[in-house]
Amino acid sequence: MTSPRPQFAALARWYAAILLFLAPLKFGGVIGLGDEASFPLDGWQWAFFVWPPFLMSFLAALGYALALLAHPAPVAGRGRWPVLAWTVLAFAVLPGLVRTTEWDYALFFVSHLASAAVFALAVRQLLAHDPAARPLLAAALAAATFWCGIGGLRQRFGGLAEFQAVAEEMAAAQGRALDSGLLEKMRQTRVYGTFQIANLYAAHLILVAPLMLVLLWRAGGRCEPARVSRPLLAGLGAALFLGPLYWSGSRGAVLGLGGGLALGALALPALRRWRIPIVLLAIVLGLGLMFAVGRGRDLLSASSRLQYYRSAGIMFRAHPLLGAGLGEFFPHHLRLRPLGSEPTRMPHSFPVGVAAQAGLPAGLAALACLLIPLWLALQEDAERRPERLAVIVGLGAWSLHSVIDLNIQVPGTVLTAACLPLLALRDGPAAGPPPGSLRLQAGERVAQLLLAAVALAGIWRLPGEHAFQQFDHAVQTQQPLPRVWERGRKAARLLPTNSNPDRILAQVAEATGNGPGAVEAYERAVRRSPHRAALWAGLARARLAAGDLEGAGGAIALAVEWNPGFPRYQAHQAMIRALRTAASPAPEQAALVAAALAADYHLDAMDDTAAMTVRIAWPADLPPPKVPLDRLAAWLAPHAGVFPDGSLPVRFHARAAWTNAN
């Protein structure tokens, strides 16, 4: 039955508008960036803090169901191609499930892409059948961007310091220390709005701000005198866009904006003959803005990205068709990165990351999604609507930025990017199926329903995420140990693919002297995430405390295999090898083990490339070690391993000017 149901039309329209408004305000988190719990526990947290990213897939699928309920009739028009691109991407990443061991991330990511595709389908249905949907959805996008800009300005002028004071007060009231990463983020001067990272905040601004400026200009025409109200409103919008964009410090975003402006100019037929000067001007403008925004900062982030892409390239060459597995970039990069290079969880590139983890077809599907603004620019538009031009500029800027950053990992931005091109097109109800197309339409509808089911299934995480947050809160507030243990086991049971509840349980067990409990929890964690070096290192430490030298040696060997450039793992491997030789007297051996476990280890930046030289330091907040650090270095040296990239020998020393080679 394809008859419209007017009683659901307003509900579907307003639901989609509210979700588009909330997308950047509540879903600016990054999928897979951290291992900590993130679930609001009370009404105030739901009102004033971001929401768990996994909720977006369920909410998007619900929007699709409402749109289909209100307008079940098929749609005709060019909007099928942007929707098809995101739909194909959601299916193309499925081969990435073949080799993955990071099932928690992999299932989450598939659901995330499915939600973008099905919500784009919902928006297309609404725009084609409901004339009131277009202005409402565009206004929702503009209002959200306006509010994002206000948030950035507020942070710039005192909001960051105020938030730090409130967070420190809350942490003190709960009897815990403020997270060091959060503290460092609050001390920075770069604004990030409602997003987790400043660069991703800037990415959302360049995506939607051009449309916001056009709508503000139009709104000014409704107020007299229009020659005053139009530039006033547009100028206010420009300030709320350009100011936070500048203070975000995102060089990639302004470079993308230059490219988006060039693409917008080329979308105008009259300017296409000047395409070469326009492109050159855009490059100069983008580079100028990039250096202005990044004044006083170095280019280390750019060089780090080259190392990320190197690791992704190695992964792709090893598994070109199916990829190394969704979520596998993090452990593989730690294994493949050059000595001393920066660790990261993601390759900071949409097409590169997808191709490395899910294979060539997925990488091509990602490129198709990024080429949508170019396709829009080449389409004829007899109406010459400024909204269409704004979409091309914004989506073009975001697509270029996606090549060098984490844009695809942000649910709120991805949902917006998937829907935005539909506002530049004019789809309508299908007059009737063309001959021979019924089977194709049936196949498309089945694929859409499958994606909707995948997106809807994301809600399975809700009980487990809530239990994980309760467990984390119990740990942070130092609640009675039986309650902490009970909540940890419950969280681990409700999140069967997530290793983090067991990891935290193991750390609690270590801190409270529960050796068997630590071994048991770490063993469950490594079964869930067998490529995580930190989990193997924890298991080695727990087995060592339990007297299982053989098991500790096997675990630390896997930790070094998956992160050979981490000095602590190399030192602990040498320590366990030394213990297995039993060459030292028992009293001194105990002191050496205690010193080896408590010491800090750093790569020596002064050393040449002939060795992986590790400097041993002692934490300032601990009593002096019972053995000299020189003695510890000499004890570890005969048992040192090799850094595999270049077969570099590992050397330990206690002073910056000394190595065991001297």
Side-chain angles (χ1 to χ4, degrees), residues 387-616:
E387 290 88 349
R388 174 180 174 273
L389 187 61
V391 168
I392 291 172
V393 171
L395 197 59
W398 181 83
S399 295
L400 287 171
H401 188 254
S402 297
V403 177
I404 58 171
D405 221 315
L406 303 174
N407 299 0
I408 191 60
Q409 306 294 136
V410 185
T413 301
V414 171
L415 191 84
T416 303
C419 298
L420 198 60
L422 302 172
L423 292 173
L425 301 168
R426 294 284 188 178
D427 287 1
S437 69
L438 289 178
R439 182 174 298 178
L440 178 61
Q441 285 190 357
E444 288 182 353
R445 181 56 58 90
V446 169
Q448 294 167 10
L449 291 175
L450 283 174
L451 288 180
V454 170
L456 201 63
I459 198 64
W460 76 270
R461 301 180 65 92
L462 181 63
E465 293 285 352
H466 181 249
F468 187 23
Q469 184 65 67
Q470 287 182 319
F471 167 49
D472 184 68
H473 178 72
V475 173
Q476 296 292 342
T477 55
Q478 299 180 357
Q479 294 181 15
L481 190 57
R483 179 183 299 174
V484 170
W485 200 259
E486 176 190 355
R487 290 188 171 180
R489 295 300 299 268
K490 179 181 178 182
R493 185 177 68 254
L494 293 175
L495 292 173
T497 59
N498 193 328
S499 61
N500 291 306
D502 280 318
R503 173 184 59 84
I504 298 175
L505 265 180
Q507 293 168 349
V508 170
E510 285 183 294
T512 55
N514 182 0
V519 172
E520 179 188 354
Y522 274 127
E523 287 178 344
R524 286 197 305 269
V526 297
R527 283 196 295 270
R528 294 180 178 188
S529 299
H531 293 170
R532 294 288 186 102
L535 298 179
W536 286 111
L539 179 59
R541 192 171 57 245
R543 285 176 173 172
L544 177 64
D548 180 8
L549 273 180
E550 195 71 27
I556 198 63
L558 285 166
V560 171
E561 177 183 341
W562 284 104
N563 193 356
F566 193 57
R568 179 175 296 276
Y569 300 162
Q570 291 280 4
H572 287 186
Q573 183 182 52
M575 173 191 67
I576 293 172
R577 287 174 174 174
L579 287 173
R580 293 169 73 178
T581 64
S584 301
E588 186 189 26
Q589 183 173 278
L592 287 168
V593 169
L597 291 174
D600 286 334
Y601 302 91
H602 309 280
L603 287 176
D604 192 343
M606 298 173 61
D607 193 43
D608 57 25
T609 58
M612 175 182 173
T613 306
V614 177
R615 178 169 56 87
I616 305 176

Side-chain angles (χ1 to χ4, degrees), residues 175-187:
R176 60 182 176 88
L178 193 63
D179 178 75
S180 59
L182 178 61
L183 184 61
E184 181 63 27
K185 181 179 178 181
M186 290 186 296
R187 286 175 177 169

Side-chain angles (χ1 to χ4, degrees), residues 157-244:
F157 298 104
L160 290 172
E162 180 182 335
F163 180 62
Q164 179 179 342
V166 172
E168 289 175 340
E169 182 180 342
M170 291 177 62
Q174 295 174 354
R176 60 182 176 88
L178 193 63
D179 178 75
S180 59
L182 178 61
L183 184 61
E184 181 63 27
K185 181 179 178 181
M186 290 186 296
R187 286 175 177 169
Q188 69 180 2
T189 57
R190 297 176 64 185
V191 301
Y192 53 88
T194 54
F195 286 72
Q196 198 169 347
I197 298 174
N199 287 346
L200 303 180
Y201 170 61
H204 194 87
L205 289 178
I206 62 175
L207 173 64
V208 195
L211 179 62
M212 176 190 72
L213 295 177
V214 168
L215 295 180
L216 286 174
W217 180 266
R218 284 195 180 279
R222 302 190 185 100
C223 304
E224 294 296 337
R227 65 179 183 274
V228 174
S229 57
R230 273 181 167 168
L232 182 64
L233 284 179
L236 175 62
L240 288 174
F241 165 41
L242 296 175

Side-chain angles (χ1 to χ4, degrees), residues 296-320:
R297 293 163 55 199
D298 54 39
L299 296 176
L300 287 178
S301 61
S303 62
S304 296
R305 279 170 168 75
L306 295 179
Q307 295 168 355
Y308 308 159
Y309 304 155
R310 170 186 176 275
S311 296
I314 295 172
M315 293 167 61
F316 177 75
R317 288 194 297 272
H319 308 287

